[in-house]
Amino acid sequence: MLKEIEQRQSIRKYLNKPVEPEKILELLKAAMNAPTARNTQEWKFKVITNSQALNDMTKLSPYTTMMKEAPCAILVIADLNKAISPEYGLINCSAAIENLLIEAVNQGLGCCWCGIAPVSERIEGFKNYYNLADNEYPVGVVAIGYSNETKPLIDRFDSKNISYFK
Amino acid sequence: MLKEIEQRQSIRKYLNKPVEPEKILELLKAAMNAPTARNTQEWKFKVITNSQALNDMTKLSPYTTMMKEAPCAILVIADLNKAISPEYGLINCSAAIENLLIEAVNQGLGCCWCGIAPVSERIEGFKNYYNLADNEYPVGVVAIGYSNETKPLIDRFDSKNISYFK
């Protein structure tokens, strides 16, 4: 297995060290290289390095406490003007986020995907805080930074999840 | 950018050559290494190598004609008994599928992600054909094989998709 896929983990402790803008750009390039249904590419990315906004994020979602330490977050938004439906926004933006996470490992960074959609309170909270337009549907936000924790790799493989039709 | 992310493409022409079972297993391991909300791991994978079933797939979804050439497909199903909701099934299975696609490049294989959910006719078609249980929600099916086409790499990067909050 590709080592970047194997080594990806949810990192919740970060060094007090900014992430180089050129690394962030590589993450965004990787995200935009994900496939989308009918090639709609309905994603938008907001790079958040404002420390007050990172601190405030815990008010928008209860599972984002790591944002207080993270130097950066990328908010991933489905553009419903381009998307076939909000569900396609979830599918396509999730593939983009997964690319972003894997590229983060490649860049020597840690990251943690925090879900927003489909939880309506979180969607409303992010829409209000970031003054998003009606067509902007926040799907998830990813904490990014240099990891300050070491965790054992988890092997989630379970052959019970596999069936065959030969 | 990681070359496997850069080189991933939707491959629609395949050589008449089976895929080694150990390679399929690596794809499934990579898929199961994707993160899931609350670590629910609500995925199931059906490896389809039955040629009649691959041929019949075009009756279940109109955009799967490449399945007639592909030696293998992996049907990705969200287990709604484990999932928080069908939307979380879409999110988590999409991340798993993206891992699978990237690992396919690593294994020297071509692949193409064909969407099923949220299109109700396709969901019903796959549920009926594969005799899925009520809790089994088919999210997508991925054609897999050795590529028989060369396509130029597409650079989908667009800086207009990026905004900053500094």
Side-chain angles (χ1 to χ4, degrees):
Chain A
M1 194 197 313
L2 200 64
K3 76 176 194 308
E4 288 80 2
I5 292 179
E6 191 173 24
Q7 293 174 0
R8 185 212 55 77
Q9 293 182 298
S10 292
I11 297 298
R12 293 187 174 82
K13 295 180 186 298
Y14 296 95
L15 295 175
N16 182 15
K17 179 182 172 183
V19 179
E20 297 83 344
E22 58 271 25
K23 289 198 171 189
I24 296 295
L25 208 56
E26 283 300 294
L27 305 191
L28 296 170
K29 285 180 184 174
M32 290 187 231
N33 223 31
T36 44
R38 297 190 211 165
N39 198 26
T40 43
Q41 302 175 32
E42 65 256 43
W43 38 52
K44 292 183 176 190
F45 304 90
K46 192 182 287 293
V47 180
I48 303 163
T49 51
N50 180 289
S51 59
Q52 186 63 52
L54 290 163
N55 268 288
D56 286 347
M57 214 173 283
T58 53
K59 300 175 196 164
L60 310 180
S61 171
Y63 304 108
T64 59
T65 48
M66 85 294 285
M67 294 291 181
K68 296 191 177 196
E69 281 189 21
C72 180
I74 297 179
L75 177 60
V76 182
I77 299 160
D79 180 348
L80 298 185
N81 285 349
K82 292 184 185 169
I84 303 163
S85 71
E87 288 86 355
Y88 277 100
L90 294 179
I91 292 168
N92 296 321
C93 287
S94 296
I97 292 171
E98 186 62 17
N99 267 12
L100 196 156
L101 302 183
I102 294 169
E103 182 61 28
V105 179
N106 186 43
Q107 296 290 334
L109 297 164
C111 55
C112 188
W113 177 352
C114 304
I116 299 173
V119 184
S120 53
E121 311 89 84
R122 295 185 203 164
I123 294 169
E124 285 312 305
F126 277 89
K127 282 182 81 95
N128 290 336
Y129 193 92
Y130 292 98
N131 202 20
L132 301 184
D134 287 348
N135 61 303
E136 293 180 321
Y137 182 69
V139 172
V141 61
V142 182
I144 297 162
Y146 286 94
S147 175
N148 195 18
E149 62 177 329
T150 50
K151 300 167 73 172
L153 292 181
I154 299 167
D155 181 4
R156 299 185 189 83
F157 180 76
D158 185 346
S159 62
K160 287 199 299 294
N161 293 332
I162 307 170
S163 63
Y164 292 88
F165 185 17
K166 293 182 180 177
Chain B
M1 194 197 312
L2 200 64
K3 75 176 195 308
E4 288 79 5
I5 291 178
E6 191 174 24
Q7 293 174 0
R8 185 212 54 76
Q9 294 182 298
S10 292
I11 297 298
R12 293 186 174 84
K13 294 178 187 298
Y14 295 95
L15 295 175
N16 183 13
K17 178 182 171 182
V19 179
E20 296 83 345
E22 58 272 24
K23 289 198 171 190
I24 296 294
L25 208 56
E26 284 299 296
L27 305 191
L28 295 170
K29 285 180 183 174
M32 289 186 233
N33 223 33
T36 45
R38 297 188 211 165
N39 199 26
T40 43
Q41 302 175 33
E42 66 256 42
W43 40 52
K44 292 183 174 189
F45 304 90
K46 191 180 287 292
V47 180
I48 303 162
T49 49
N50 181 288
S51 59
Q52 185 63 51
L54 290 164
N55 268 289
D56 286 346
M57 214 174 282
T58 53
K59 300 174 195 164
L60 310 179
S61 171
Y63 304 109
T64 59
T65 46
M66 83 295 285
M67 294 293 182
K68 295 192 176 195
E69 280 190 20
C72 180
I74 297 179
L75 177 61
V76 182
I77 299 160
D79 181 348
L80 299 184
N81 285 350
K82 292 183 185 170
I84 302 163
S85 70
E87 288 87 354
Y88 278 99
L90 294 180
I91 292 169
N92 297 320
C93 287
S94 295
I97 292 172
E98 186 62 17
N99 268 12
L100 195 156
L101 301 184
I102 294 169
E103 183 61 27
V105 179
N106 186 43
Q107 296 291 333
L109 297 165
C111 55
C112 189
W113 177 352
C114 304
I116 299 173
V119 184
S120 53
E121 310 90 81
R122 296 185 202 164
I123 294 169
E124 285 312 304
F126 277 89
K127 282 182 81 96
N128 289 336
Y129 193 93
Y130 292 99
N131 202 19
L132 301 183
D134 287 346
N135 62 303
E136 292 179 323
Y137 182 68
V139 172
V141 61
V142 182
I144 297 162
Y146 286 94
S147 175
N148 196 17
E149 63 177 329
T150 50
K151 299 166 72 173
L153 292 181
I154 299 167
D155 181 5
R156 298 185 190 83
F157 180 76
D158 185 345
S159 62
K160 288 199 299 295
N161 293 332
I162 308 170
S163 62
Y164 292 88
F165 185 16
K166 293 182 179 177

